[in-house]
Amino acid sequence: MNRIESTTIDPRALGRVAVLMGGSSSEREVSLMSGKGVLAALQARGVDAIAFDPAERALCELRALAVQRVFIALHGRHGEDGTVQGALELLGIPYTGPGVMASALAIDKHMTKRLWQCEGLSTPAWRMVASPAQARGAAHELGLPLMFKASHEGSTLGLARADTAQQVDAAYAEAARFDAAVLAEQFIAGDEVTCGVLGEGAGAVALPLIHIVAPGGNYDFEHKYFSDETQYICPSGLPPAEEQAIAELVLASYRTLGCRGWGRADIMIRATDRKPFLLELNTSPGMTGHSLVPLAARVAGLNYEDLCLRILADARLDSGTGAVPGARP
């Protein structure tokens, strides 16, 4: 299991920091929880950090506030999809997480899976559907059970499962409530795990895997953020060789999309042969009390406050400017 070495970071070298939280996406409430946690952690480490909600203030105000770098604690559209990253590029303010292109690719489940498939990385078979008739066709072609997903949403929003032909139309409709682009994905029965990543390129490191065990196998929005019934097992208890293989798959998926800074991939391990399948990659993971990257980092020897500081120190622009020397994993 990887241990993350601590890095000495001078909070004064980070300058004034804005923690972007809230926003206008369907994940606003989760983002506020993440942002408040990050803000408190950075302030506790002596960072000159302030809260900033782009749903309530124009991003151009960041310049007037003399902000020198940004911690993006936004989730979903207009925060995790390359749009706010592009605005910060124009403002010249370094930010945490992947750049414009990687963010835009990763939030689009369809494009993500196409790239992974081109690189030979395992991901469940899928079809894009735009009507109940196409959804029924996908069910006939891919088989049941079938997962229907809003292609540009996260946090299990716009996610529905169809176990029978009679459930297909309703499952499609649920996903379509959140996004006109709906992905129908082959269901993989088995263990669900997630794997966080810190860093960039050859220097990126995988955090310990977390095995997720939700009541009745239903890892929905409630069980993800508010329930205390969901079990998060870390260390995962998987055989070391299996965990290592999954970590290598996740790192390959992260690098394929051009990610940097940090992220988290979700994986299903097929019960019949223990083959792992990539589901999606989150480029602005949650930082709430139920979030998984902080849990894995803690197991790897990095507490919540130091994790926030490390991610912030690696903030940069697509041009490469902004990171604090020596701050990368």
Side-chain angles (χ1 to χ4, degrees):
M1 179 178 67
N2 287 322
R3 298 284 301 177
I4 306 298
E5 297 297 326
S6 60
T7 303
T8 301
I9 299 169
D10 181 1
R12 294 170 298 180
L14 301 173
R16 168 158 272 204
V17 174
V19 179
L20 299 193
M21 64 179 84
S24 57
S25 81
S26 56
E27 299 178 65
R28 174 178 172 81
E29 295 307 314
V30 176
S31 172
L32 288 170
M33 291 190 290
S34 289
K36 289 173 183 177
V38 170
L39 180 65
L42 294 178
Q43 291 175 339
R45 281 289 187 264
V47 177
D48 178 16
I50 60 172
F52 192 98
D53 187 343
E56 299 176 351
R57 310 174 73 175
L59 283 174
C60 60
E61 291 185 36
L62 292 170
R63 277 187 170 174
L65 293 169
V67 168
Q68 293 171 270
R69 66 182 57 216
V70 161
F71 192 116
I72 298 177
L74 299 167
H75 306 314
R77 301 188 198 208
H78 305 138
E80 198 173 351
D81 59 359
T83 53
V84 76
Q85 289 79 7
L88 293 168
E89 290 284 341
L90 292 173
L91 290 170
I93 302 174
Y95 53 90
T96 56
V100 177
M101 184 177 71
S103 298
L105 288 171
I107 201 162
D108 187 325
K109 295 180 178 66
H110 177 47
M111 291 305 299
T112 293
K113 288 166 75 72
R114 288 181 68 180
L115 285 170
W116 285 343
Q117 185 183 60
C118 286
E119 291 298 310
L121 305 179
S122 57
T123 187
W126 81 98
R127 298 291 182 271
M128 295 302 295
V129 296
S131 68
Q134 290 183 8
R136 292 191 291 272
H140 178 75
E141 188 174 354
L142 299 175
L144 294 168
L146 196 64
M147 302 301 297
F148 288 91
K149 301 180 176 182
S151 189
H152 302 90
E153 291 288 350
S155 294
T156 69
L157 295 168
L159 176 69
R161 173 174 161 174
D163 291 298
T164 68
Q166 291 72 30
Q167 295 173 339
V168 168
D169 283 13
Y172 166 76
E174 173 61 19
R177 283 200 311 119
F178 291 85
D179 197 339
V182 174
L183 182 141
E185 184 180 71
Q186 193 174 58
F187 177 72
I188 304 297
D191 292 332
E192 181 171 3
V193 296
T194 193
C195 181
V197 180
L198 297 177
E200 180 179 6
V205 295
L207 295 173
L209 262 61
I210 300 174
H211 182 194
I212 301 168
V213 182
N218 183 27
Y219 192 43
D220 59 10
F221 188 84
E222 177 68 23
H223 286 134
K224 181 176 262 192
Y225 291 108
F226 301 105
S227 173
D228 291 324
E229 297 178 40
T230 302
Q231 298 179 58
Y232 301 107
I233 304 170
C234 188
S236 67
L238 271 59
E242 185 171 276
E243 174 149 357
Q244 181 61 33
I246 293 172
E248 290 173 1
L249 175 66
V250 167
L251 288 171
S253 73
Y254 181 87
R255 292 169 180 144
T256 292
L257 295 177
C259 292
R260 66 169 186 253
W262 68 317
R264 195 199 75 238
D266 297 329
I267 306 100
M268 291 298 298
I269 306 171
R270 191 162 60 191
T272 54
D273 59 3
R274 304 302 294 174
K275 180 178 179 177
F277 289 83
L278 294 160
L279 299 181
E280 58 186 89
L281 197 147
N282 190 319
T283 57
S284 182
M287 291 292 282
T288 73
H290 284 77
S291 293
L292 304 183
V293 171
L295 168 59
R298 187 166 63 249
V299 172
L302 198 63
N303 68 32
Y304 185 93
E305 292 178 357
D306 288 337
L307 172 65
C308 292
L309 196 63
R310 190 177 197 123
I311 293 168
L312 176 63
D314 207 26
R316 67 190 63 218
L317 296 166
D318 274 340
S319 62
T321 59
V324 174
R328 299 186 202 176

